[in-house]
Amino acid sequence: MGIVAKTLVATAALAMLGAPILARQRADAPQTIAYGSEALQRLDLWTPQGAQKAPLVMFVHGGGWKRGSKDNAVSRALPAHLLAQGYAFAAIDYRLVPDASVEQQAADVAAALAALLARSDSLGIDRGRVVLMGHSAGAHLVALVGTDEQYLRAAGLSFADIDGVIPNDGAAYDVPVQMAQAGRFMARTYTQAFGTEVVRQRALSPTLNAAAPNAPAFLLLHVQRPDGIAQADALAEALRRAGTRVEIGSFPGEGLRGHAEINRKLGEPDYPATALVDAWLAKVFAN
């Protein structure tokens, strides 16, 4: 039985049994670290108590490249869930469109990671075990940083500093294709972020940058949005052609409601995507 079937069966079984939704855990207040001089160049970091070399998961929020923050666009369950497994968890802010470009946002992702790794010993982080995770626009940004090494190199890093990437329900991995299919609701958002020049749009497309080398492993998550499915499948195929390890997790949920739910509920023990992410992280961090 495949991942999709298993998750659907598990979800149905819970509903039939009337299983209670487990209460969300809250992590203790994080420490906030500046990784640049601007107000939005900040990150929150949670580390397990007494940790000396905790694997790091760094999260990049969504919001159409122009809104959102580490304070309101992160699953409330995820920090505590990952801490319980012995992982450190960071959630970053980054400069937003139109005051900053998407290129600068990708640079911020790399700079935030570099700031954490530079202080890894004092922060209790294992700089040899690192995964980037992002949702929506954040999924695009972590996929871009994981396929176009220029952003990491500018921050003094490389793909060797990342063990894996988890883009969660993004839909702009091939920007020109996505923009051509976008309805009126999203057209302005995409144009504001990526402009009208196809050369630039292609340069900011993870799928079109996925020829080797890339970050070593990807886990692509999506709900049942046609554009999200098509974009994830195309990125996965491009990564596989390059010899990059890639898995896909497909989960229930449609439209914007499903898109928000997979981010909001990730980390809740009874949410199907949580088990897949847990297993994938354990495997990646064990290598």
Side-chain angles (χ1 to χ4, degrees):
M1 185 181 293
I3 290 171
V4 178
K6 287 180 179 177
T7 57
L8 291 172
V9 168
T11 302
L14 286 169
M16 290 175 63
L17 292 170
I21 296 176
L22 299 179
R24 294 178 178 178
Q25 298 180 13
R26 288 179 179 269
D28 291 336
Q31 55 182 310
T32 299
I33 298 170
Y35 65 87
S37 61
E38 299 200 21
L40 286 175
Q41 292 177 313
R42 301 288 186 273
L43 64 87
D44 289 343
L45 174 67
W46 293 260
T47 53
Q49 187 173 6
Q52 294 184 344
K53 281 190 170 292
L56 172 66
V57 177
M58 193 182 89
F59 178 84
V60 182
H61 70 77
W65 302 272
K66 60 184 177 180
R67 63 173 71 92
S69 81
K70 61 181 175 56
D71 300 320
N72 62 26
V74 179
S75 164
R76 295 171 67 184
L78 193 57
H81 179 76
L82 293 178
L83 284 173
Q85 297 175 73
Y87 303 150
F89 179 77
I92 77 165
D93 274 336
Y94 53 89
R95 293 169 291 173
L96 300 173
V97 170
D99 296 326
S101 67
V102 173
E103 291 89 341
Q104 288 173 310
Q105 294 177 334
D108 280 357
V109 173
L113 179 60
L116 287 169
L117 298 188
R119 300 172 58 183
S120 58
D121 289 343
S122 63
L123 294 173
I125 293 170
D126 185 350
R127 66 166 297 142
R129 292 186 290 173
V130 175
V131 163
L132 300 181
M133 175 189 292
H135 173 250
S136 193
H140 164 265
L141 290 172
V142 296
L144 181 61
V145 171
T147 54
D148 187 344
E149 200 173 25
Q150 67 167 308
Y151 301 103
L152 292 168
R153 289 198 302 265
L157 303 176
S158 71
F159 287 145
D161 293 295
I162 299 176
D163 294 283
V165 182
I166 305 178
N168 184 2
D169 209 50
Y173 305 134
D174 185 329
V175 174
V177 167
Q178 183 68 11
M179 290 184 70
Q181 297 175 350
R184 184 168 55 184
F185 178 72
M186 285 298 296
R188 183 177 178 182
T189 292
Y190 288 130
T191 300
Q192 188 177 37
F194 298 107
T196 58
E197 296 181 3
V198 175
V199 171
R200 178 172 178 245
Q201 294 168 3
R202 292 179 61 85
L204 292 171
S205 298
T207 299
L208 305 181
N209 282 288
N214 298 301
F218 280 71
L219 173 61
L220 304 177
L221 307 177
H222 66 74
V223 294
Q224 305 310 303
R225 299 189 303 148
D227 56 346
I229 294 170
Q231 289 272 323
D233 286 346
L235 176 56
E237 179 57 30
L239 290 166
R240 290 189 181 110
R241 287 198 303 267
T244 303
R245 302 192 310 274
V246 58
E247 298 178 32
I248 296 180
S250 178
F251 298 95
E254 297 181 356
L256 291 177
R257 181 174 180 177
H259 177 64
E261 183 177 73
I262 195 171
N263 181 56
R264 185 178 69 252
K265 290 191 172 184
L266 189 62
E268 294 183 5
D270 58 342
Y271 184 64
T274 299
L276 175 61
V277 170
D278 287 351
W280 189 86
L281 287 173
K283 178 171 58 179
V284 167
F285 285 145
N287 290 338

